[in-house]
Amino acid sequence: MADAILGVSAFYHDSAAALVIDGEIIAAAHEERFTRKKHDSGFPRHEITYVLEEAGLELEDITAVAFYDKPYLKCERLLETYHSFAPRGLKSFLSAIPVWIKEKLFMRQMLRAEFEKLGCSNPVLLFPEHHLSHAASAFYPSPFSAAAILTLDGVGEWATCTIGVGRENGIEILRELDFPHSLGLLYSAFTAYCGFKVNSGEYKLMGLAPYGTVGSPQVEKWKALILSEMVDLREDGSFLLNMEYFNYATGLTMCVNEKWHQLFGLPQRQAETALDQNYMDLALAIQEVTEEIVLLLAKTAQGLTQCDSLVMAGGVALNCVANGKLLRSGLFKDLWIQPASGDAGGALGAALAGWYIHLDKPRKCVGQDAMKGSLLGPEYGAKKILKVARRYQAPHKAYEDFAGLCLDVAELLAEGQVVGWFQGRMEFGPRALGNRSILGDARHPEMQKKLNLKIKYREGFRPFAPSVNEECIPEFFDLDRPSPYMLLVAPVLQKRCKGLPEGYQSLPLYDRLYHPRSDVPAITHIDYSARIQSVNKEVHPKYWQLIDTFRKSTGYGLIVNTSFNVRGEPIVCTPEDAYRCFMATEMDYLAIGDFLFSKKEQPHYADRDYWQQKYELD
Ligand SMILES: [Fe+2]
């Protein structure tokens, strides 16, 4: 009988479930995609049902359930923190503690009760620590038999950063940095001060940073202030934060605003107000400090482990600009980053820790990436798609062969149309990788504007990423390896880049943003870099085929890929989610499976009988 381990992350943010059978990753998905509630932190019952269904198992068949952190340790951290900061935190203590006592301290009972509702009265429960779950999610699916491990996030139980080593089926944690000294929370504090939401706006802050003026007196001064007043950084990358500047340990906000205002001479930016150069400079200052800390930690990890390869996870590992610099530093020969690096990925890590550490099973899949392209979520057949078409009386065209669909979609893209692309299994992790994506032509000078303002309804400064067929990387980017999960930023080749007009630096943000910088302007960032997703023919054959079809007609083996959602909503999960998102935006076409939906044409019901018969529609 196979051993199946169910990994669960829940009750904090980004709930998820993952299923590992005999060491193989079978399925994983985020609860938010099913419930349509962004960063849903509830018990992931939809996910659990889904991952079991995917494997054809019942809960009774599960060997153990692995939860992604140790609740008792977490509660201890909370109590000790309030104790050491008393009486400052009394107000938040009174409002937060009852939740923790009720929900966190009795986690084991809560989990048992939730599983009972699902019909399983007494599952074997494992509780690997939070950062061990992150470390396991980084090391076990990586292709390396041995690697240094760096985990960085806001906070788990106590740890905010660990350095470890993975060898065969074992993980050893060598160094740990503890709450409240946290690189993730430091970055989140700047996210909040720059007017973005904590836990989701960090990516926006990273996107804003390149608009800061590199090397300017203001940026240099602010970096120096961060490092002299807020962060006591040591040579090994460990640091202490000056908690006079931060409220998160005891309060319900991130920053002590008056202290920050005094330090930077800049008030907190109110959400949704105009962004001026000061906030771009502040974003750049904290981004550069973050990169410095990550590099020092990586150097320490290399020194402690003597490994050639590094693996990373935890929310900070999604900082792809820092990752790109780490790779180019040459500290490690190779780097692998868990695509679901946030807490959702902890579910997968917990399940893998259950298999390799708790059950002590030998390592699998060494030499190859075991994430299956992170395409681990549900997929939907033609029957489901046609039901949506009928329900919404949706104009659509059906294709008998996928190549025909690729030809039409490639042509539409080359005309400058924006196409929703929904195929196969949903991605696990925050990035859409070509199965729940919105696509456009990167060469089109207006594409970035169109996608930002008419489809994503979001801040225009946020950059788009290219999906490039793996073998075409050298034609576009200065990158010597694949980047399958959109987690590396690398320079666009100089020969493709264009110069800037005189007086460019003094132009307003959006004029700078929309100035074309290369022959693929929609994916070339302000600093001539791109956040790359490479597409492998074997791992991702349909998406590769579409891009290759586009290449054959245009000479460009690269397209724009942005996640299939609108601002504030989770990425679409089902064909119905996709169709509704399509209709709610100015997206031009939508491909789901072998069907192409449009807003313009009349329904293709002439062949309805044929399809009804073929897919046994009810
Ligand atoms: Fe975490």
Side-chain angles (χ1 to χ4, degrees):
M1 175 80 178
D3 274 310
I5 315 271
L6 175 68
V8 172
S9 85
F11 308 130
Y12 189 39
H13 47 75
D14 289 334
S15 296
L19 187 68
V20 169
I21 299 182
D22 282 351
E24 184 187 350
I25 302 168
I26 301 297
H30 308 241
E31 184 73 0
E32 64 162 25
R33 308 280 166 87
F34 292 85
T35 61
R36 313 305 302 151
K37 201 171 127 197
K38 199 151 181 163
H39 303 300
D40 195 339
S41 60
F43 181 74
R45 57 182 62 84
H46 299 88
E47 316 267 335
I48 291 172
T49 309
Y50 155 67
V51 296
L52 290 172
E53 236 173 56
E54 187 71 41
L57 296 181
E58 302 290 330
L59 261 178
E60 274 67 29
D61 304 324
I62 296 294
T63 310
V65 175
F67 190 68
Y68 82 138
D69 70 7
K70 273 200 193 322
Y72 294 100
L73 275 179
K74 204 171 197 173
C75 208
E76 179 200 30
R77 187 247 303 164
L78 198 86
L79 291 165
E80 282 201 19
T81 304
Y82 281 111
H83 180 71
S84 62
F85 284 88
R88 205 170 115 197
L90 185 65
K91 196 175 153 205
S92 67
F93 177 88
L94 291 173
S95 64
I97 268 295
V99 178
W100 280 79
I101 286 173
K102 200 171 99 212
E103 293 187 358
K104 313 287 178 189
L105 193 58
F106 301 111
M107 190 74 74
R108 194 180 286 267
Q109 288 93 318
M110 275 174 64
L111 281 171
R112 285 201 188 286
E114 291 288 354
F115 278 104
E116 195 144 354
K117 281 185 218 163
L118 291 176
C120 177
S121 52
N122 201 16
V124 175
L125 290 175
L126 308 173
F127 293 94
E129 285 178 30
H130 187 99
H131 273 257
L132 182 64
S133 298
H134 278 316
S137 79
F139 177 59
Y140 294 123
S142 81
F144 313 129
S145 59
I149 306 171
L150 181 58
T151 64
L152 282 160
D153 69 356
V155 62
E157 300 91 1
W158 276 105
T160 63
C161 163
T162 65
I163 292 173
V165 64
R167 294 190 205 282
E168 297 305 334
N169 76 340
I171 288 178
E172 188 186 354
I173 303 294
L174 305 168
R175 293 279 189 282
E176 181 177 311
L177 190 63
D178 281 345
F179 185 85
H181 310 293
S182 160
L183 184 55
L185 291 173
L186 174 69
Y187 205 85
S188 293
F190 278 82
T191 301
Y193 202 72
C194 288
F196 303 114
K197 263 193 195 155
V198 171
N199 285 335
S200 59
E202 286 75 5
Y203 218 65
K204 296 181 187 176
L205 192 72
M206 190 184 73
L208 190 64
Y211 295 90
T213 311
V214 178
S216 70
Q218 175 154 279
V219 171
E220 292 307 309
K221 185 178 129 197
W222 284 350
K223 269 168 60 186
L225 281 174
I226 295 169
L227 287 170
S228 63
E229 301 299 318
M230 287 182 161
V231 184
D232 179 7
L233 179 61
R234 321 282 165 79
E235 261 181 31
D236 64 358
S238 67
F239 57 87
L240 295 175
L241 295 183
N242 179 356
M243 293 311 291
E244 287 177 15
Y245 284 91
F246 303 96
N247 240 339
Y248 58 74
T250 51
L252 300 173
T253 58
M254 295 302 290
C255 318
V256 179
N257 282 347
E258 316 81 67
K259 297 272 298 176
W260 285 55
H261 196 160
Q262 222 170 32
L263 187 67
F264 298 115
L266 185 70
Q268 183 184 30
R269 176 179 163 257
Q270 295 308 304
E272 309 297 328
T273 56
L275 278 158
D276 69 29
Q277 189 61 43
N278 288 313
Y279 295 101
M280 302 172 205
D281 284 349
L282 194 60
L284 178 60
I286 189 59
Q287 177 64 29
E288 289 191 355
V289 168
T290 301
E291 288 163 13
E292 191 178 333
I293 296 173
V294 170
L295 272 179
L296 287 173
L297 288 166
K299 207 170 162 183
T300 303
Q302 209 282 328
L304 286 170
T305 64
Q306 298 296 311
C307 288
D308 289 339
S309 304
L310 175 71
V311 297
M312 291 173 73
V316 181
L318 294 170
N319 192 313
C320 42
V321 179
N323 298 343
K325 290 193 178 160
L326 179 55
L327 186 64
R328 282 190 294 285
S329 74
L331 265 171
F332 288 91
K333 281 190 192 145
D334 215 345
L335 179 64
W336 192 90
I337 301 154
Q338 164 57 241
S341 261
D343 280 351
L348 176 61
L352 290 166
W355 170 259
Y356 287 112
I357 299 172
H358 182 76
L359 297 180
D360 194 21
K361 300 288 186 182
R363 186 79 188 284
K364 276 205 166 179
C365 293
V366 174
Q368 65 186 69
D369 178 329
M371 280 299 288
K372 301 180 175 173
S374 216
L375 308 173
L376 298 168
E379 66 182 324
Y380 300 88
K383 196 171 164 180
K384 270 258 165 22
I385 302 166
L386 280 169
K387 270 187 181 173
V388 172
R390 282 195 303 166
R391 179 175 307 153
Y392 292 94
Q393 289 288 296
H396 67 277
K397 181 179 171 184
Y399 290 78
E400 285 257 35
D401 72 316
F402 186 69
L405 174 69
C406 286
L407 274 173
D408 281 0
V409 171
E411 197 180 316
L412 290 169
L413 290 172
E415 282 171 11
Q417 312 276 9
V418 173
V419 183
W421 183 253
F422 182 115
Q423 302 289 342
R425 297 185 72 179
M426 185 173 69
E427 299 86 345
F428 183 52
R431 307 276 88 87
L433 300 170
N435 277 5
R436 301 289 186 276
S437 291
I438 298 172
L439 310 178
D441 184 349
R443 302 170 304 161
H444 201 286
E446 294 291 309
M447 189 50 65
Q448 188 171 358
K449 198 184 270 183
K450 183 173 178 180
L451 285 170
N452 268 325
L453 303 179
K454 296 190 168 182
I455 288 136
K456 303 287 282 192
Y457 303 116
R458 70 182 197 185
E459 295 92 339
F461 67 86
R462 292 184 63 195
F464 287 103
S467 292
V468 56
N469 276 354
E470 205 172 288
E471 62 283 6
C472 301
I473 294 176
E475 292 172 35
F476 294 95
F477 306 108
D478 183 9
L479 180 70
D480 61 357
R481 66 198 67 209
S483 170
Y485 305 118
M486 215 184 264
L487 285 170
L488 293 177
V489 165
V492 174
L493 286 187
Q494 221 166 3
K495 66 177 184 189
R496 295 197 169 270
C497 296
K498 295 175 180 170
L500 299 173
E502 233 174 90
Y504 166 84
Q505 274 305 333
S506 52
L507 290 173
L509 170 67
Y510 289 100
D511 290 349
R512 278 188 276 160
L513 170 74
Y514 293 125
H515 181 81
R517 284 175 171 66
S518 75
D519 65 343
V520 280
I523 57 93
T524 307
H525 300 179
I526 192 153
D527 57 358
Y528 294 96
S529 69
R531 179 167 52 99
I532 299 161
Q533 180 206 354
S534 59
V535 181
N536 180 283
K537 191 177 178 179
E538 273 74 47
V539 177
H540 216 339
K542 284 191 165 182
Y543 196 36
W544 184 92
Q545 188 178 342
L546 173 68
I547 299 171
D548 195 54
T549 310
F550 185 77
R551 181 192 62 78
K552 282 177 182 148
S553 65
T554 63
Y556 284 69
L558 161 153
I559 53 177
V560 181
N561 169 12
T562 185
S563 54
F564 200 146
N565 63 332
V566 288
R567 191 180 176 189
E569 281 196 8
I571 294 175
V572 299
C573 177
T574 64
E576 180 154 0
D577 298 337
Y579 187 74
R580 288 158 69 118
C581 182
F582 169 62
M583 292 306 287
T585 64
E586 291 175 56
M587 210 182 301
D588 300 301
Y589 289 87
L590 167 63
I592 313 183
D594 294 332
F595 302 86
L596 185 63
F597 292 83
S598 78
K599 293 171 181 168
K600 296 167 192 157
E601 292 153 27
Q602 289 305 305
H604 288 240
Y605 281 121
D607 51 2
R608 185 169 158 176
D609 289 344
Y610 167 80
W611 292 107
Q612 226 165 6
Q613 213 175 11
K614 184 163 177 176
Y615 296 108
E616 296 165 350
L617 287 174
D618 43 40

